[in-house]
Amino acid sequence: MRGTDLNTIERPYDGCGKCLLGVRRLSRVKLATSSPERQRENVLTAAASVGAHIIGWADDWEVSGATDPVTRPSLGPWLRDERGPYDGLVAAAVDRLGRNVVDCLNTGYKMRDEKKMLVTYGHDGAWNLDDPADENRFTMEAWGAQMELRDPAQEP
């Protein structure tokens, strides 16, 4: 993100087609590896990588990844079309969307079916769930997140 002006990445909806909602979620805010600051940096980097900008943030702190994205306090209203227009979602990772394969796929397919972008840090470009390779990779990342959630050795 060197040389990128953050003021150009965070700005209001302008109808450009790349007005994305930044998605951040943590079960426990104290986790350093997925800290709010790190997630913010990753989301901004991912948005910049596709020439998009952030119109707002759906921050769900102290919300389990097992919570259906549609019912999350901050993300849910956007997914239910109760907020203003947006052109897609950008998250630090697939596991920030959810920790359940079905929930992640439902969110991904909603974006696809509504012709909205879905971007995550670490994936080149926007996800294309009509492409078998991208769909399989997205599904595998969602499956990995679900397995982490179900691992009894992991913190809840």
Side-chain angles (χ1 to χ4, degrees), residues 2-77:
R2 265 184 220 157
T4 302
D5 181 1
L6 292 182
N7 291 327
T8 65
I9 296 176
E10 289 185 272
R11 62 180 193 267
Y13 181 87
D14 62 10
C16 72
K18 291 189 175 184
C19 302
L20 304 182
L21 178 68
V23 176
R24 299 186 295 176
R25 183 202 54 76
L26 280 177
S27 299
R28 295 181 182 173
V29 177
K30 66 182 179 175
L31 296 176
T33 58
S34 296
S35 70
E37 297 79 20
R38 176 173 279 166
Q39 285 189 49
R40 180 180 189 278
E41 182 179 315
N42 290 349
V43 166
L44 292 172
T45 299
S49 77
V50 295
H53 64 100
I54 305 298
I55 61 162
W57 294 92
D59 292 336
D60 287 305
W61 307 130
E62 304 290 327
V63 175
S64 169
T67 304
D68 183 341
V70 174
T71 65
R72 284 172 30 187
S74 293
L75 180 56

Side-chain angles (χ1 to χ4, degrees), residues 70-128:
V70 174
T71 65
R72 284 172 30 187
S74 293
L75 180 56
W78 289 93
L79 294 176
R80 295 188 306 266
D81 299 319
E82 297 170 0
R83 298 284 167 104
Y86 68 105
D87 299 318
L89 304 175
V90 56
V94 172
D95 71 358
R96 299 301 95 189
L97 296 172
R99 293 275 189 155
N100 176 295
V101 173
V102 172
D103 291 343
C104 288
L105 287 173
N106 285 343
T107 301
Y109 291 142
K110 176 179 176 54
M111 295 298 104
R112 180 199 65 189
D113 294 347
E114 295 179 2
K115 309 238 184 295
K116 293 183 177 182
M117 293 178 75
L118 180 60
V119 179
T120 59
Y121 181 80
H123 178 266
D124 290 333
W127 289 97
N128 176 0

